[in-house]
Amino acid sequence: MSQAPGVPLRVVSYNVHGQRDDTAALAEVVRAAAPDVVIVQEGPRRFRWREKSAALAESFGLVVAAGGLPSLGNLLLTSLRVRVTGTRCRRFPLTPGRHLRGAAYADCRVGGGARFTVAGSHLSTDAAERPGQAALFKRDLDEVTLPVIAAADLNEGPDGPAWATVAAGLTDAAVATDRADRLTFSCANPSRRIDALFVDPRIQVVDYDVVDTPLTRRASDHFPVLVDLLLPAAD
């Protein structure tokens, strides 16, 4: 079957567990994937976060596009093939006694002018708090006019209300490739698909994988999600 004309883009979504595991393995995993965009959850967000974010990006062979402390650990990294034209961050309202959460967004251009927006978030582990955060994240996504690529650690599976909120009107890359049985958490005992990547219907999902190898099991407590896409060609 022939594919519609488009611009290829490889995206990785990865909860890196605060770089508390094997960081050499982590860097090797990402470099081997050769992504154009990496959407990071649990990236640097505290003291010297800019320096730490740059060091993480360099270890991957990428550069920082957006995120870090302003988005509370959500970090968007890109290859030099991707030009970033605008960025913004969001912090979700603080629930006393809970971790701060947020989201990062970057408007990008690649491959002779194909434009898209990439977004990343990490929702609460608290089932009462997640729906409100999902609604704010979704509101931001709905305001995007460019084809959007949104990835998140949703901390719940596809049967959850927060997942349904974020997924509405978007294509779940795992479902599109008939690979929704690929579990993303935890590396020690894979039992749940809580890490998702959604795309605008204008974007074609070419391939999807959850990378489960001895190396990824050392690199983090989450498996990386690897997706190949075709963006709408520039007008």
Side-chain angles (χ1 to χ4, degrees):
M1 181 183 296
S2 62
Q3 294 176 343
V7 177
L9 190 80
R10 174 165 283 191
V11 181
V12 168
S13 179
Y14 209 167
N15 183 320
V16 301
H17 198 208
Q19 299 171 261
R20 295 193 291 272
D21 302 294
D22 187 333
T23 55
L26 180 66
E28 189 173 345
V29 166
V30 175
R31 283 181 174 269
D36 299 300
V37 174
V38 177
I39 303 167
V40 174
Q41 299 90 38
E42 293 196 34
R45 55 177 286 181
R46 293 186 176 90
F47 179 64
R48 294 170 54 209
W49 66 270
R50 291 184 181 85
E51 179 181 338
K52 292 175 181 176
S53 296
L56 178 64
E58 184 178 10
S59 76
F60 293 168
L62 304 171
V63 297
V64 176
L69 177 61
S71 62
L72 302 169
N74 296 286
L75 191 63
L76 305 179
L77 311 177
T78 62
S79 71
L80 296 180
R81 178 173 174 252
V82 178
R83 178 187 173 194
V84 178
T85 60
T87 66
R88 51 203 176 277
C89 294
R90 170 187 284 281
R91 294 187 180 190
F92 300 137
L94 174 64
T95 300
R98 299 291 180 183
H99 292 297
L100 287 163
R101 304 284 183 176
Y105 310 85
D107 300 326
C108 304
R109 186 186 300 269
V110 70
R115 301 173 65 202
F116 64 98
T117 295
V118 61
S121 189
H122 185 186
L123 304 189
S124 176
T125 57
D126 179 22
E129 191 175 33
R130 277 196 303 272
Q133 294 176 350
L136 290 172
F137 186 44
K138 183 62 172 177
R139 186 176 72 185
D140 290 344
L141 297 179
D142 287 345
E143 291 175 354
V144 172
T145 58
L146 298 176
V148 68
I149 301 164
D153 174 356
L154 296 169
N155 267 313
E156 69 179 33
D159 58 345
W163 183 298
T165 294
V166 177
L170 299 174
T171 300
D172 182 332
V175 173
T177 53
D178 197 26
R179 293 176 180 169
D181 59 339
R182 305 287 178 93
L183 306 176
T184 68
F185 182 81
S186 71
C187 290
N189 180 29
S191 58
R192 305 172 69 198
R193 183 166 80 97
I194 63 173
D195 303 274
L197 190 140
F198 306 105
V199 298
D200 187 292
R202 291 172 286 181
I203 298 174
Q204 180 181 345
V205 181
V206 178
D207 199 11
Y208 171 96
D209 195 15
V210 175
V211 186
D212 181 354
T213 66
L215 205 60
T216 60
R217 286 178 179 251
R218 298 205 311 266
S220 177
D221 62 340
H222 288 244
F223 294 114
V225 173
L226 172 63
V227 183
D228 284 306
L229 304 170
L230 276 180
L231 302 173
D235 295 333

